[in-house]
């Protein structure tokens, strides 16, 4: 596999696929979210919401695609990546399954504050800064995970991953999509969250 331990010098996991693949996806995601800020198109005279225009339809498709990429990234590298990382850490670091499982537990505990606050932050600041913070936490956390040598480092990395995960997952996707849809929100959310299945099917293979 591509998640292996190097020999000689400082030991580290080499894993060429994910970060280079995700850097382009994250850039496209942030650009897509930052391009569209208006909720709706209104008639200035009557203040009524107009029928969907081509620009509005394009904006909705773009935001839905951006959320699809968020789900692919978050679920693929983190949620479904746990089993890949556990196998590599127990095999190459010699740590017990119980130790790594406990570290993964800290990930879920660390994700609780983010899950409870990410919707509020998106309402106040918009999705772009929240998604950037989440992407940085996950990206840097995965880099650090390949270089951990002590158990405390493993726990610290999983805390960082847990903090960033909600900013890329369902807790962020739903409030990002909601302002764009008076009708059809359920269908758009289903398309966006299908990225979780795509990420789970493809990304672990690349790790």
């Amino acid at each position: 596999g591509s998640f292996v331990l190097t020999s000689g010098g400082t030991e580290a996991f080499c894993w060429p696929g994910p970060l280079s693949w995700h850097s382009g996806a994250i850039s496209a995601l942030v650009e897509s979210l930052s391009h569209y800020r208006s909720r709706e198109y209104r008639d200035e005279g009557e203040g009524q919401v107009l029928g969907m225009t081509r620009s509005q339809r394009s904006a909705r498709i773009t935001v839905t695609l951006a959320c699809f990429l968020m789900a692919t990234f978050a679920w693929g590298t983190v949620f479904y990546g746990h089993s890949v990382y556990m196998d590599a850490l127990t095999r190459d670091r010699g740590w017990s399954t119980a130790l790594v499982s406990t570290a993964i537990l800290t990930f879920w505990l660390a994700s609780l504050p983010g899950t409870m606050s990410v919707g509020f932050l998106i309402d106040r600041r918009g999705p772009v800064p929240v998604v950037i913070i989440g992407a940085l936490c996950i990206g840097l956390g995965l880099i650090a995970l390949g270089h951990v040598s002590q158990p405390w480092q493993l726990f610290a990395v999983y805390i960082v991953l847990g903090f960033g995960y909600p900013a890329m997952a369902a807790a962020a996707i739903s409030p990002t999509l909601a302002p764009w849809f008076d009708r059809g929100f359920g269908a758009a959310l289903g398309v966006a969250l299908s990225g979780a299945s795509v990420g789970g099917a493809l990304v672990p293979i690349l790790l």
Side-chain angles (χ1 to χ4, degrees):
S2 53
F3 196 162
V4 298
L5 188 65
T6 60
S7 59
T10 302
E11 294 183 336
F13 293 114
C14 293
W15 127 66
L19 293 178
S20 59
W21 182 81
H22 289 308
S23 61
I26 293 172
S27 298
L29 167 63
V30 172
E31 182 178 357
S32 297
L33 291 177
S34 62
H35 270 72
Y36 302 99
R37 302 188 63 87
S38 173
R39 279 187 67 165
E40 56 192 18
Y41 296 84
R42 294 183 178 273
D43 181 274
E44 294 182 357
E46 301 179 359
Q48 300 294 322
V49 178
L50 300 176
M52 186 184 299
T53 65
R54 180 176 299 178
S55 297
Q56 189 177 19
R57 186 180 299 110
S58 176
R60 289 181 175 184
I61 292 173
T62 301
V63 173
T64 302
L65 177 59
C67 290
F68 175 89
L69 293 176
M70 288 168 60
T72 302
F73 176 71
W75 269 274
T77 60
V78 181
F79 187 88
Y80 292 107
H82 286 313
S83 59
V84 178
Y85 309 143
M86 175 179 285
D87 177 69
L89 291 166
T90 55
R91 182 183 67 248
D92 298 319
R93 290 292 187 245
W95 291 332
S96 67
T97 301
L99 174 65
V100 180
S101 296
T102 304
I104 294 174
L105 173 62
T106 64
F107 163 87
W108 293 112
L109 294 176
S111 71
L112 291 176
T115 300
M116 292 186 291
S117 62
V118 69
F120 171 78
L121 292 175
I122 289 177
D123 288 340
R124 292 292 299 273
R125 302 295 182 182
V128 174
V130 176
V131 170
I132 290 175
I133 291 173
L136 286 175
C137 287
I138 293 176
L140 295 176
L142 293 178
I143 293 175
L145 189 61
H147 294 81
V148 293
S149 59
Q150 300 295 328
W152 71 266
Q153 297 172 347
L154 178 66
F155 280 81
V157 168
Y158 270 113
I159 289 173
V160 172
L161 288 172
F163 179 78
Y165 176 72
M168 297 287 290
I173 290 172
S174 183
T176 298
L177 277 177
W180 294 92
F181 294 90
D182 295 321
R183 300 166 62 181
F185 170 72
L189 184 62
V191 171
L193 292 180
S194 67
S197 299
V198 174
L202 297 181
V203 176
I205 299 175
L206 303 175
L207 294 176

